[in-house]
Each structure stands twice: as structure tokens, then as C-alpha cells.
Amino acid sequence: MAELPAYDEVEQATRQAGLGIEASELHGALSGWLAGGGGNGGDWLAKVLADPQQAAPEAGGALDALREASAKQLEDRDFAFELLLPGGEAALSERAAALFDWCRGFLGGFGLSAGARPPLSEEGEEALADLARLAQAAPEQGEDEAEDEDALAEIEEFVRVAVLLLHGDCVLAARHRQSLN
């Protein structure tokens, strides 16, 4: 399986490039771009950020590795796709905020590549609507931290599966239709 670069490595690369976006949101945007059928070329950053002036990431650098690993994970038949989020050592509220940022990024990237009316199944439409609700959410601290940890893990898994479903609808199904013609 293709490994994502470390969160801190991507965060540092985004700061060095002056992107003004957190690592989680950037990975969400890249994942949305790819899941919606966007290209996997070296110019992905300019397309994902909708900024034609944006330079291509350095070949072999953290951002390039992020693109490469994300594309491979989405295509993996073992459903090995992962979200780039802060590790377990980060505060629960920080991890939850990063997950919601990831969802916001995903929606932007997905919209840019899939367009206004992507070919979604009924389940895909529901998944996209749920991701939109998550993108509007804000972290809340409950009374039971263990329960909050479990809830965050469930949401992360839901997001992961929703992304794979949307990728299946927009990319894999389209590829299958083309092979039939």
C-alpha cells in the first residue's frame, strides 16, 4: 500500500509554499479532486487550489508524495485509502477540527473536478450530502472523552468510505462504462 507522507511533513511543505491552507484541508481538496475525476498530473496543486499561477510541487517532495500516495490509495482494491489528519497525540478538538477542514477541502476539490451534476448513485448523493454537513460542523467537547474518541473514529471511517464510494461513482464507473463501449 502507498503510504501518505507524515502530517507534519505536509504541514511544513504547505507553509514553505505559502499556500495558506492546513495539511488536512489540502489533502481533502486533493482527494476530492481525484475522487471527482480530476487528473493526477504534476499541475494538480494549481488545479485543486483554482490558481493557475500556483507552481507545481517539487518532484519527490512531500506534496508530490501526497499526490502520488493518495492516487494509489484511491485505486487500491483493498480500500486502503487514508485521511491525512493530525496524529493521536494532538488534542481531540484539534483532530475533530482537522477532520471538518478535510471535508471542506474535499467538497471544493470534488466540485472543481466533478462539476455541478456528477454521475452519482443514490448512495453517492447521500454520502456527498453527509460530507457537506460535516464540512459545516464545529468540534464540540462532550462529557465523556472516550465516547468522543469513539465518535470521531466512526466519523473518520464514514468519511473514508464515503470518499471511496464517490470515487467509485465518478471514476471507476466511468472507466467501466468506457470499457464497455
Side-chain angles (χ1 to χ4, degrees):
M1 176 184 85
E3 288 285 324
L4 293 174
Y7 180 86
D8 292 338
E9 199 178 326
V10 175
E11 187 66 29
Q12 182 179 0
T14 62
R15 280 194 301 272
Q16 286 176 339
L19 299 182
I21 187 172
E22 300 289 323
S24 293
E25 190 172 355
L26 179 63
H27 184 244
L30 169 61
S31 299
W33 172 260
L34 294 170
N40 179 17
D43 60 346
W44 70 271
L45 191 56
K47 291 181 177 180
V48 165
L49 297 179
D51 179 4
Q53 303 302 313
Q54 182 63 52
E58 175 186 335
L63 298 180
D64 189 50
L66 181 68
R67 174 201 52 82
E68 189 174 309
S70 298
K72 285 180 181 174
Q73 286 183 1
L74 281 169
E75 295 288 334
D76 187 278
R77 294 196 183 269
D78 292 329
F79 308 107
F81 179 74
E82 297 175 325
L83 309 178
L84 183 69
L85 299 169
E89 72 283 349
L92 180 64
S93 60
E94 180 184 338
R95 290 181 285 133
L99 178 59
F100 300 145
D101 288 345
W102 195 100
C103 291
R104 276 189 287 283
F106 180 87
L107 291 175
F110 187 79
L112 285 170
S113 64
R117 297 193 178 271
L120 298 179
S121 63
E122 187 175 323
E123 294 85 4
E125 293 212 13
E126 287 178 28
L128 189 60
D130 288 340
L131 289 173
R133 281 191 282 284
L134 287 170
Q136 296 172 2
E140 292 180 13
Q141 189 88 16
E143 305 224 355
D144 183 350
E145 190 164 334
E147 194 175 286
D148 290 348
E149 285 284 352
D150 290 344
L152 183 61
E154 285 180 30
I155 294 169
E156 284 179 32
E157 181 62 12
F158 169 80
V159 169
R160 194 183 75 75
V161 171
V163 169
L164 291 169
L165 174 65
L166 292 166
H167 179 259
D169 281 359
C170 293
V171 176
L172 301 179
R175 217 181 278 154
H176 180 70
R177 284 190 296 273
Q178 285 178 340
S179 72
L180 294 176
N181 292 331

